Amino acid sequence: MNSIRRRLMLSLFGLWTLVWAAVALVAFERSGHEVDELLDAQMAQTAHFLLNLGSDRAAAGALAVPQALSTVGHPYEAKLSFQRWQGEHLMASLGAAPSAPLAQTMGFSDQMLGGTSWRVFGLPGTGPGEILFVAQDYSIRKELVDYLTIHALQPILWSLPLSMLLIWLAVSDGLGPLYRLARSIGRRSADRLGPIDGEDVPLEIRPLTEALNGLMERLDEALATERRFAADASHELRTPFAIIRTHAQIAQRSGDPAERRQALDNLILGVDRATRLIAQLLILARLQGESRQAAPGVSSLAEAVSQAVAHQQVAAGGRSISLTALVPEDLYSRVPVPGEVLDILVGNLVENGVKYTPPQGWVQVALAPERGGLRLRVTDSGPGIPPANRERVFDRFYRQPGQAQAGAGLGLAIVRRICTLYGLGIELREGSEGTGLAVEVSFPLSSDSRSS
C-alpha cells in the first residue's frame, strides 16, 4: 500500500545514511591526512634527535651494538626501525630494521621491505657518507586512522535509533493536519456538505481543501437537483397515471361497447402522454447530471433541422399546419454539439411550434449564417408568449395559464439546459408579423467547419 509516511521515512533514512557515509569518508580521509602529518613530523624530529645524539662518540659506540626489544616495551616497537650508516657500513640499528638500507633517497619515501609497507625518512649526517634512517610500519598509521575514525563516528551511528524516532515523530506531526482533515471529511454526511474551513490548514494542503470544497459544492448541487427532480417527477407523474387508472376502470365497468372503446382510446392516449412525460423527465435528468463542461462532439445542424421537420410532418399534416425548412444550400453547418443532444434541442423546438400552432397555421424553421456562427430560428403563427412570461417558460413544469394543449412544461426547460451546457445563446421574440413566437438559438461554428 502506498504510504506517505513510509515514503518519507525511507527517504529520510536513506538521506541520513548517505550523509553518514559521506561524513565517514571525509572523516577517514582527514584523519589519515592528519595522522600522516603528525607521524611524519615525529619521524623527522626523532631522526634529528638521534643524529645529535650520535655525534657523541660514546653514544655512537653504544648505538653500534644491535638492540633487542624490551620485554616491558610496547608492541609497536616491532613496527619502528632505525638505521645509521657510514658509507656502506651499518653503524647502528634498532627495532625491525633489516640489514640492508631502508631507502636509497633522502627525505620521506614509501618502501616495500619484506612484504611490509614502510614509511621511511632519510637524513644526511654530519660526517662524510653518514646517513640516518627512521622508518615506521604503515600498519601503525592504518590502525590509528581506523581507531580515530570509528571512535569519531560512533556517536553518530549510535544516534541512529534516536534519529529515526525523532524523524518518525516529526513526520507524524507533519501529517497531523492531513489526518485531521480526513477525520473531518469522514464525519460529514450528505446533509452536511459545507466548505472546509481553510484558515488552520497548512499552505501545502490548501490546494487539496480547495479542490474538495469545489467537489462538495458540485455534489451538494447535484444532490439538491436530484431531490428536486424526484419531487417534481413524483408530482407530475401522479396526474397522468391517475387518469390512466380512471379510463381503465371505466373500460372495465362499462357494458356499452362504444363507451368501452372510447375509454380504451383515452387509455392509450394517456399512456402515450405518460410515455412522453417519462422520456422528457429522463432527458432532463441526464442533462442535469452533466458536469459544467459538457462532453465534446460535432454534428451537422442542417441535418438535425431536416430530421426534426421530417419527423413532425405527420403531426403537422394532421392539423393542416404548413411546416417548412429554410436551409441555404452549401451552408457549413457543423457546430460543437453532439448529434444526439442537437436532435433533442431542435426536435423540442419544432415539436413545440407544431403543438401550439392552431390548425391552418404555419411553422417555419430557418437556418442562416451570422457573425462567427449560425442562427436557428423557429417561428410559428400560434398565440405566442407575453413578454412577462418569456423567462418563466424556461422553468420546469411551467405552463401558461389557459393553455389547452397537453404537455408537461419540460420542452423549453430541456432546450435551456442544453444551451447552458454548450454555451449557446437563446432568445424568445415575437413572430415575423407581430404575432406568434420566434425562438432564436445562436451556435458557434466548429473548427472543422471553418477549415472545410
Side-chain angles (χ1 to χ4, degrees):
M1 182 177 62
N2 194 7
S3 169
I4 297 178
R5 184 195 300 273
R6 184 184 299 114
R7 291 178 62 185
L8 286 175
M9 292 292 292
L10 292 176
S11 298
L12 293 174
F13 180 73
L15 290 175
W16 189 95
T17 304
L18 183 62
V19 170
W20 186 87
V23 170
L25 181 63
V26 172
F28 185 82
E29 190 275 332
R30 296 306 302 169
S31 297
H33 175 76
E34 294 301 325
V35 167
D36 287 341
E37 292 287 335
L38 177 62
L39 294 184
D40 283 352
Q42 186 181 26
M43 288 175 62
Q45 188 179 37
T46 302
H48 283 90
F49 174 75
L50 293 176
L51 182 63
N52 293 330
L53 184 63
S55 61
D56 188 347
R57 290 188 176 274
L63 289 173
V65 181
Q67 299 181 19
L69 298 178
S70 173
T71 58
V72 295
H74 194 277
Y76 278 0
E77 290 185 41
K79 300 182 179 181
L80 301 173
S81 295
F82 163 78
Q83 286 181 344
R84 187 184 184 93
W85 291 83
Q86 187 74 40
E88 297 181 357
H89 300 285
L90 178 63
M91 304 300 295
S93 65
L94 180 68
S99 58
L102 288 169
Q104 301 297 326
T105 59
M106 297 298 99
F108 289 100
S109 62
D110 296 327
Q111 304 294 332
M112 179 66 69
L113 302 172
T116 302
S117 296
W118 293 82
R119 180 70 167 170
V120 180
F121 177 71
L123 180 66
T126 56
E130 185 179 2
I131 301 175
L132 183 69
F133 291 109
V134 177
Q136 284 182 345
D137 191 336
Y138 256 112
S139 62
I140 298 178
R141 301 176 179 236
K142 183 178 183 304
E143 291 179 16
L144 186 56
V145 170
D146 291 345
Y147 178 84
L148 292 175
T149 303
I150 292 174
H151 280 72
L153 295 177
Q154 272 183 350
I156 302 178
L157 187 60
W158 291 339
S159 67
L160 175 60
L162 178 60
S163 300
M164 294 307 298
L165 176 61
L166 294 177
I167 290 174
W168 185 84
L169 293 176
V171 170
S172 298
D173 181 69
L175 294 177
L178 190 60
Y179 292 136
R180 289 193 292 271
L181 176 63
R183 288 193 296 269
S184 175
I185 296 175
R187 288 192 296 266
R188 292 173 179 262
S189 62
D191 299 328
R192 295 178 59 250
L193 295 176
I196 301 170
D197 186 9
E199 292 185 0
D200 298 331
V201 175
L203 182 63
E204 293 79 7
I205 306 180
R206 287 185 183 177
L208 175 62
T209 59
E210 292 173 0
L212 287 174
N213 285 339
L215 175 61
M216 286 191 288
E217 180 183 356
R218 295 190 295 272
L219 181 59
D220 187 43
E221 180 181 348
L223 291 175
T225 301
E226 183 179 346
R227 287 191 291 267
R228 289 196 304 269
F229 174 79
D232 293 341
S234 63
H235 176 269
E236 293 298 325
L237 288 173
R238 188 178 298 114
T239 299
F241 280 108
I243 295 175
I244 292 173
R245 179 180 177 82
T246 300
H247 290 310
Q249 290 175 340
I250 293 174
Q252 186 180 38
R253 293 195 303 263
S254 177
D256 184 2
E259 184 181 11
R260 184 184 299 111
R261 187 179 303 107
Q262 182 63 38
L264 291 175
D265 291 340
N266 292 333
L267 177 63
I268 294 174
L269 183 61
V271 170
D272 291 340
R273 291 176 179 175
T275 302
R276 172 63 178 168
L277 175 59
I278 292 173
Q280 287 190 317
L281 285 173
L282 292 176
I283 292 173
L284 185 61
R286 187 184 66 184
L287 293 175
Q288 288 177 337
E290 293 284 347
S291 62
R292 295 177 182 177
Q293 184 176 4
V298 177
S299 57
S300 172
L301 182 56
E303 292 181 4
V305 168
S306 300
Q307 292 178 4
V309 170
H311 183 71
Q312 291 295 325
Q313 283 293 354
V314 175
R319 300 174 57 209
S320 300
I321 295 175
S322 174
L323 176 60
T324 57
L326 300 179
V327 179
E329 295 183 0
D330 301 329
L331 176 68
Y332 295 136
S333 64
R334 294 184 64 79
V335 294
V337 181
E340 181 183 6
V341 177
L342 191 62
D343 291 340
I344 294 173
L345 185 149
V346 179
N348 277 355
L349 292 179
V350 176
E351 181 182 3
N352 278 356
V354 173
K355 181 188 295 184
Y356 296 109
T357 297
Q360 309 300 322
W362 56 270
V363 176
Q364 185 183 81
V365 184
L367 190 59
E370 62 178 7
R371 178 179 296 179
L374 297 174
R375 183 181 71 253
L376 173 67
R377 181 182 176 93
V378 180
T379 311
D380 61 60
S381 60
I385 299 175
N389 292 343
R390 286 176 185 171
E391 188 62 29
R392 291 199 62 191
V393 296
F394 292 112
D395 296 338
R396 293 176 302 165
F397 306 111
Y398 175 78
R399 305 192 70 216
Q400 290 195 86
Q403 184 61 255
Q405 293 293 334
L410 290 175
L412 288 178
I414 293 174
V415 171
R416 165 64 70 86
R417 179 59 180 168
I418 294 175
C419 292
T420 301
L421 285 175
Y422 291 91
L424 311 178
I426 183 170
E427 190 174 358
L428 303 183
R429 301 177 181 273
E430 290 186 351
S432 57
E433 298 178 359
T435 59
L437 178 70
V439 183
E440 295 184 353
V441 181
S442 298
F443 294 82
L445 287 173
S446 65
S447 58
D448 62 343
S449 294
R450 296 189 185 98
S451 62
S452 298

